[in-house]
Amino acid sequence: MKRVISEPSQVIFIAAEVGNFEVLAELVRSYPDLAWEVDAENRSIIHIAVLHRHAAIFNLINEIRTIRNFVVTYEDDDQNNLLHCAAKLAPPSQLNLVSGAAFQMMHELRWYEEVKKYMPPCFVEKRNSNGKTPRELFTEEHTELLTKAESWMKSMAKSCMIVSTLIATEVFTAAFSIPHGDDDKNCNPIRNAIIFIIFAISDATALVSSSISILIFLSMLVIARYAEDDFFKSLRLKLIYGLVTLFISIISMMVAFSSAFFITYSNSIKWVPIFVSVLALAPITLFTFLLFPLWSDVVYSAYFCRSIFRPSKHVLYYVDG
C-alpha cells in the first residue's frame, strides 16, 4: 500500500483509464486523499474517466463533493477543462459498444451535455491553448462521425420509406377489394360481421400508420438539417416514431390479410384461414428478430443511456466532511 500512496498514478489513473471501477472505488474509499491526485498531464481521475467514457467513475463527482468545484474548473497542461475532455472523440473501444454511427453520435452528445451540466457558465465557452471552446473542439473532433451518422440515417430512412410505401399501396388496394365468401347464393362480405370489422379496422390502421411512417421518413430525407443537435433529440425521436408506426403497419397488414382469408374461406375449407393466420405471424416475428439490435440501440440511446449518469445508490459510502 505504500506504493499506492507514493505513486498513485500507477493504480488510480490506470484504473480510471481502463474503467476498473472496483479497484478505484476501494482505493478512494480507503484513502480519500487519492481523489485529489493528478497525473503527469495535470488531469484528475474524473478527467480521465470522461476522456475514456467511463460513466461509473465519472459519477463519483456526485459522491466526493469536496472535489467537485476543483474538478470542473481544473485545466490540464493544454488548458483543457472537463468539458473539453467530453468534447474529444471517444476511444474506438467505447464507440464500438454502440452499433451505428448515428447512435454513436447520440451517445457522444449525451456525454457532452451531461458534463456540461456540472460546468460553471464561464467555463463552457473558455478556450484552450489552441484557442478552441469545448463546442468548437467537439465539432472538429466529430466531423467524420457526423458525416457517417448522416449517411447512416438517410440510408435507414430510404429503406424504411420504401417498405412503408409498399404496405400503403397494398392495403389501399385491399380497402376497395372487399373479400367475399365463396357461397354463390349469398356473396355477402358481412357474412361474418366480427371478422369483417376486424378486416376493416386493421386495413385502415395499416394504411394510416404506413402513411405516417412515410411522412416521418420523408421529413428525415428532405427537411432534416442533420446538425449536431438534431441527433440529440429531433432525429432520434423521428427514428423511433417512424419505426414504431412501420411495425404497427406490418402487424395490421398481416391481421387484415388473415381476416380476409377467414371471410373468403370460412364456409369451405376451415383449416386454410387458420393455417394462413399462423403463417402471417412469420413476417412479424422475422421483422422483430432481424431488427432487434436496432431496437435495442434505439431504446438504449433514448432511455437507458441517460440512466447511467444517475446511479440509484451510492457506491463509495464515503461522506465528506
Side-chain angles (χ1 to χ4, degrees), residues 155-165 213 217 243 246 291:
S155 177
M156 174 64 67
K158 288 179 182 178
S159 300
C160 292
M161 191 171 68
I162 291 173
V163 176
S164 299
T165 303
S213 181
F217 289 121
L243 289 174
L246 176 58
L291 269 71

Side-chain angles (χ1 to χ4, degrees), residues 161 214-224 226 235 238:
M161 191 171 68
I214 291 172
L215 293 175
I216 292 175
F217 289 121
L218 183 62
S219 70
M220 293 173 63
L221 293 172
V222 178
I223 302 175
Y226 288 93
L235 288 172
K238 286 181 179 179

Side-chain angles (χ1 to χ4, degrees), residues 159-231:
S159 300
C160 292
M161 191 171 68
I162 291 173
V163 176
S164 299
T165 303
L166 291 174
I167 294 174
T169 303
E170 292 298 325
V171 297
F172 181 81
T173 304
F176 296 97
S177 304
I178 303 176
H180 293 265
D182 57 359
D183 188 352
D184 294 333
K185 296 181 180 180
N186 186 16
C187 284
N188 188 353
I190 320 181
R191 175 178 292 277
N192 192 328
I194 297 179
I195 298 179
F196 184 82
I197 292 174
I198 293 175
F199 168 79
I201 293 176
S202 58
D203 191 82
T205 302
L207 179 60
V208 172
S209 58
S210 60
S211 299
I212 294 174
S213 181
I214 291 172
L215 293 175
I216 292 175
F217 289 121
L218 183 62
S219 70
M220 293 173 63
L221 293 172
V222 178
I223 302 175
R225 299 178 300 120
Y226 288 93
E228 293 173 357
D229 291 336
D230 290 340
F231 283 91

Side-chain angles (χ1 to χ4, degrees), residues 8 13 24 114 117 157 165 168 176 239 271 275 278 319:
F13 298 123
L24 190 146
E114 288 295 334
K117 294 177 181 178
T165 303
F176 296 97
L239 181 61
W271 64 270
F275 179 70
V278 173
V319 181

Side-chain angles (χ1 to χ4, degrees), residues 47 68-76 79-87 112 115-128 132-137:
H47 287 78
R68 178 185 296 182
N69 294 334
F70 161 76
V71 168
V72 298
T73 61
Y74 201 74
E75 298 176 348
D76 63 13
Q79 297 181 359
N80 291 311
N81 58 36
L82 192 63
L83 194 56
H84 282 99
C85 294
Y112 184 86
V115 174
K116 184 179 177 180
K117 294 177 181 178
Y118 294 91
M119 303 299 296
C122 60
F123 281 86
V124 173
E125 298 296 329
K126 193 168 185 180
R127 300 183 181 275
N128 59 14
K132 297 184 183 301
T133 64
R135 192 66 192 195
E136 291 172 348
L137 181 61

Side-chain angles (χ1 to χ4, degrees), residues 253-311:
M253 180 182 63
M254 291 296 101
V255 173
F257 176 74
S258 301
S259 58
F261 262 83
F262 270 99
I263 295 173
T264 305
Y265 297 103
S266 60
N267 294 325
S268 55
I269 309 174
K270 295 186 179 298
W271 64 270
V272 171
I274 298 176
F275 179 70
V276 170
S277 298
V278 173
L279 289 180
L281 295 175
I284 300 173
T285 305
L286 188 62
F287 180 83
T288 305
F289 177 77
L290 293 178
L291 269 71
F292 179 78
L294 177 62
W295 282 111
S296 62
D297 288 336
V298 169
V299 174
Y300 176 80
S301 65
Y303 302 105
F304 293 108
C305 183
R306 67 179 67 175
S307 67
I308 65 175
F309 297 100
R310 295 170 179 79

